[in-house]
Amino acid sequence: MSRRKSLKLVAKRPSADVPRPSRVEAEEAVRTLLRWAGDDPGREGLRETPARVARAYEEYFSGYDADPVALLRRTFEETEGYDEVVLLRDIRFESHCEHHLAPVVGRAHVAYLPNRRVVGISKLARLVEVYARRLTIQEKMTAQVAAAIDEVLEPKGVAVVIEAVHQCMTTRGVHKPGVTMVTSRMLGAFRDDASTRREFLAMIGKLGGEAGGFA
Ligand SMILES: [Zn+2]
């Protein structure tokens, strides 16, 4: 992927040109949905719900206010020549699908092959959270996490695998509990070099029976 294309992928805030409604308007929209569900927003149990939902949205979607590029920019160059894979495995995240606003809960595995510079390991978890706390689809989130690392750290390679359960599939629609969606994005050495890719897949336990067509 070209650097130019990835820059677009890591854009700070997709809605920069869309004016934000007031809290009063947001709460009124929740009342509308409650009526649409068939209930009475005026009854006691629902009276505080619009305010609670508005606050919950601030938490679910806090990723819109975060800048993934700034997050990764503080890097460390004293790596004593370390040039092996850096992997953060099993980063749990909660997101929401952009098609149904339904929860998506999963785990991300994020690796890169440093090119002199490394980033504090907690930043990788934070990066996943930034993109998870936006409306998204899993394919896009996977590509965005990989592109941001590629863009800022300019490593020799980036690998991202995300496994997640989509509640829009498990609690509605086709009602298929127990299915997990797996997406991956490999850049640089992880894409071009089969042994580097295999090393990563082995590290996250995806090599062997379960690996599917990964390796
Ligand atoms: Zn959905």
Side-chain angles (χ1 to χ4, degrees):
M1 187 193 297
S2 72
R3 299 258 176 226
R4 179 176 291 275
K5 193 173 167 206
S6 66
L7 243 187
K8 205 174 128 212
L9 264 176
V10 301
K12 187 180 169 189
R13 188 188 168 92
S15 60
D17 301 330
V18 182
R20 210 166 193 168
S22 68
R23 178 174 293 266
V24 171
E25 289 174 298
E27 292 181 9
E28 194 49 44
V30 176
R31 274 181 210 101
T32 302
L33 286 175
L34 290 172
R35 285 198 302 276
W36 175 244
D39 216 315
D40 170 16
R43 74 175 172 83
E44 198 186 345
L46 290 178
R47 218 168 287 156
E48 295 302 316
T49 298
R52 289 194 195 100
V53 172
R55 281 198 298 275
Y57 263 45
E58 286 175 330
E59 196 179 326
Y60 296 156
F61 304 117
S62 59
Y64 288 114
D65 290 325
D67 180 349
V69 173
L71 176 75
L72 289 176
R73 211 162 259 159
R74 185 144 181 270
T75 58
F76 307 98
E77 301 203 356
E78 283 179 31
T79 58
E80 302 286 343
Y82 185 88
D83 59 357
E84 302 291 333
V85 171
V86 176
L87 164 69
L88 195 58
R89 200 170 60 183
D90 293 318
I91 306 166
R92 190 183 185 278
F93 70 86
E94 293 130 31
S95 188
H96 289 81
C97 90
E98 67 184 25
H99 298 145
H100 304 93
L101 313 187
V104 175
V105 179
R107 293 177 302 162
H109 315 289
V110 177
Y112 67 100
L113 197 55
N115 180 16
R116 296 189 311 278
R117 284 184 294 168
V118 296
V119 71
I121 197 87
S122 68
K123 298 294 172 62
L124 298 179
R126 180 81 186 101
L127 181 70
V128 168
E129 192 175 275
V130 165
Y131 289 116
R133 292 185 174 221
R134 296 179 178 190
L135 287 169
T136 191
I137 59 171
Q138 189 177 325
E139 295 89 332
K140 183 164 85 178
M141 185 179 152
T142 307
Q144 283 174 320
V145 171
I149 295 168
D150 189 49
E151 179 69 31
V152 182
L153 297 187
E154 297 183 11
K156 291 174 187 154
V158 185
V160 178
V161 167
I162 294 182
E163 315 171 67
V165 173
H166 292 241
Q167 286 191 12
C168 56
M169 264 194 80
T170 58
T171 65
R172 60 160 294 286
V174 292
H175 291 277
K176 289 280 174 265
V179 295
T180 303
M181 180 162 155
V182 183
T183 47
S184 74
R185 176 73 117 195
M186 308 278 172
L187 301 175
F190 292 95
R191 187 189 54 208
D192 302 333
D193 179 359
S195 69
T196 304
R197 184 166 60 249
R198 267 202 302 276
E199 184 190 348
F200 165 69
L201 293 169
M203 286 167 95
I204 65 168
K206 290 285 162 203
L207 210 52
E210 225 197 310
F214 270 124

